Amino acid sequence: MKHGFATMVSVVAAAWLVSACQTVQTTGGGAVGVDRGQMMMVSAAEVEQASGKQYQQVIGEAREKGLLNRDPAQLARVRAISSRLIPQTVSFRRDAAQWHWEVNVIRSDELNAWCMAGGKMAVYSGLIDQLKLTDDELAAVMGHEIAHALREHSREQISKAMVTSVGASVAGALLGVGQLGTDLMGMVGKVTFELPNSRLHETEADRIGVELAARAGYDPRAAVSLWDKMGSRSNGGPPQWLSTHPGHDTRRRDLGEYAQRVMPLYEQARR
């Protein structure tokens, strides 16, 4: 009897999770054709609000340590590139034009950059200095990170994590043990700074990123040379923050193929 009740609870919990999730289309496909539907369990507004708080905390800590926007010329360069990339986001989703975009540079030796929900972005100086990035390569990095925000990959990761944790919580609540609760801000921080993106997410961000760069007038083929530079930093493999990205050769071929696909957009933007 006890086993039967536990099974019933599991069924109820599973049914609740299915009803709580919804399939959304976060972006249009663009020229690169990224049009996968995504299962979401938390609202875009909630993730954007939590991301804004997390971002201000990170930026505030960098400011207190004297690590925020230390090099005016470098900051101006990053923001100039972002000012060309951001208007192109409307090719994938029109609401991105109304996001409260913020772009800053953090002094750090890490080869890193990220863009949270709602356009909260940071580039680490080590990425620029150590890889000696050209403007085209820097645009490839930033376009890739912006693509993660456009596709709401963090929201998708959080939703997947919640399916597991909330499922257990619902079952526990129905059995009289535990309660439902989620620290959304903490989860945003975790998926941004600790958990690597899935290979699927990286492929989507690569493809959208090269299109954003091309539309902004940056050579999309620079994504290939950028990847080669990243690979050379760790004996043919990517830096740790890229550890679950598609294999080097596979990714290089995909970047090259999609860069060629969007070359007409680049040539048109350069006229």
Side-chain angles (χ1 to χ4, degrees):
M1 184 68 179
K2 184 176 180 180
H3 175 73
F5 179 66
T7 300
M8 181 187 70
V9 167
S10 297
V11 171
V12 171
W16 183 86
L17 285 171
V18 170
S19 65
C21 289
Q22 59 176 320
T23 301
V24 301
Q25 197 74 29
T26 56
T27 63
V32 292
V34 175
D35 58 1
R36 176 180 62 91
Q38 297 159 275
M39 291 293 291
M40 301 298 193
M41 193 174 172
V42 60
S43 74
E46 288 173 314
V47 174
E48 187 171 331
Q49 182 179 35
S51 295
K53 292 179 179 178
Q54 181 70 48
Y55 185 76
Q56 292 308 318
Q57 179 176 311
V58 172
I59 293 302
E61 290 174 356
R63 183 181 291 110
E64 289 177 5
K65 295 176 181 177
L67 302 176
L68 185 66
N69 301 329
R70 288 286 302 275
D71 185 334
Q74 192 173 71
L75 176 63
R77 182 186 176 203
V78 167
R79 287 183 172 173
I81 293 172
S82 70
S83 72
R84 288 170 57 177
L85 289 170
I86 291 170
Q88 309 311 318
T89 60
V90 297
S91 297
F92 291 93
R93 52 185 300 168
R94 293 192 176 280
D95 66 316
Q98 279 72 54
W99 287 0
H100 298 294
W101 291 86
E102 293 185 54
V103 182
N104 289 287
V105 177
I106 296 176
R107 174 68 63 85
S108 171
D109 290 336
E110 285 187 58
L111 306 183
N112 204 0
W114 40 265
C115 186
M116 292 181 178
K120 307 303 184 186
M121 190 172 190
V123 177
Y124 289 22
S125 61
L127 184 68
I128 302 170
D129 297 335
Q130 294 184 45
L131 298 185
K132 302 186 185 306
L133 298 184
T134 65
D135 281 1
D136 291 322
E137 290 167 341
L138 187 50
V141 172
M142 296 172 69
H144 175 95
E145 297 306 325
I146 288 171
H148 280 307
L150 295 177
R151 287 291 289 163
E152 299 186 45
H153 284 153
S154 291
R155 180 184 171 199
E156 190 173 12
Q157 281 186 292
I158 290 169
S159 295
K160 287 181 178 179
M162 289 178 71
V163 166
T164 300
S165 62
V166 173
S169 297
V170 168
L174 290 173
L175 289 169
V177 290
Q179 61 181 20
L180 182 63
T182 302
D183 181 357
L184 192 54
M185 183 175 164
M187 295 181 78
V188 166
K190 192 174 185 64
V191 299
T192 301
F193 306 117
E194 298 177 29
L195 299 179
N197 285 291
S198 70
R199 293 186 178 190
L200 176 59
H201 287 178
E202 290 305 322
T203 298
E204 290 182 344
D206 276 349
R207 294 175 181 180
I208 290 175
V210 295
E211 181 169 340
L212 290 174
R215 288 182 179 278
Y218 293 103
D219 191 337
R221 294 168 295 189
V224 177
S225 61
L226 166 69
W227 180 242
D228 286 340
K229 285 184 177 182
M230 287 180 168
S232 69
R233 294 297 298 181
S234 51
N235 299 318
Q240 184 62 37
W241 67 286
L242 297 174
S243 61
T244 63
H245 283 207
H248 180 81
D249 292 338
T250 299
R251 187 172 190 189
R252 197 177 190 282
R253 284 195 301 271
D254 195 74
L255 283 168
E257 177 186 341
Y258 279 83
Q260 285 299 324
R261 185 177 296 192
V262 299
M263 280 299 290
L265 295 174
Y266 168 61
E267 291 164 358
Q268 181 178 0
R270 295 290 291 174
R271 289 174 189 164

